[in-house]
Amino acid sequence: MLHARIPESLDDAIRAAASELGMSVSNLVRNVLANAVHVVEAAAMRVPGGVPRTQRPAAAYGPAGDADTRSGREAATPAGPARVLGWQEATLNLNAVCDRCNAILARGTRAAISIPDPATAPRAIRCLPCVEELGRESTDER
């Protein structure tokens, strides 16, 4: 268990973000902290003389969101779930985090970006193994 004193304004912002994402404050904070630890570890490994550390997948820290997000049919957005029409593979120009498994996706790696419906909805990013799993799920449903 972790306790921290934070300003009321930050508490309000965290609670609002968790509500918009349809997840508990605890899960949101846990996912944010897990991703922050991975980013710091990844950055430390790039520093000359840095000591490599064992990399743990974000999934080891707990679920990455609600069941709808993990199903692959919808991607969580700050405005709520959006339907995903498809996924477009791309080379990342910025670091990102897979919205399904919380994997850190480094700049220069291949990942998939959602094509949301409506088109104005925020786009989700997924690692290629999570997108490939979608294909396996759809053939299993047939």
Side-chain angles (χ1 to χ4, degrees), residues 2-125:
L2 175 69
H3 295 276
R5 294 180 192 264
I6 60 172
E8 187 174 342
S9 59
L10 179 56
D11 182 62
D12 292 342
I14 291 170
R15 290 181 188 282
S19 177
E20 288 175 10
L21 290 169
M23 63 187 344
S24 71
V25 169
S26 178
N27 279 342
L28 176 64
V29 171
R30 183 174 31 253
N31 288 340
V32 167
L33 290 174
N35 288 330
V37 167
H38 286 298
V39 169
V40 170
E41 286 179 349
M45 290 179 58
R46 292 177 184 253
V47 175
V51 179
R53 297 181 181 153
T54 303
Q55 296 286 324
R56 289 196 302 168
Y61 294 100
D66 60 18
D68 289 337
T69 300
R70 288 190 304 270
S71 74
R73 291 182 181 82
E74 296 180 345
T77 67
R83 290 188 329 159
V84 175
L85 297 174
W87 295 91
Q88 176 64 52
E89 190 173 326
T91 301
L92 296 176
N93 193 49
L94 300 172
N95 293 335
V97 177
C98 176
D99 85 317
R100 184 168 185 267
C101 72
N102 277 348
I104 300 295
L105 305 171
R107 178 179 188 261
T109 61
R110 303 288 294 168
I113 301 171
S114 69
I115 301 169
D117 179 30
T120 56
R123 295 181 181 183
I125 297 177

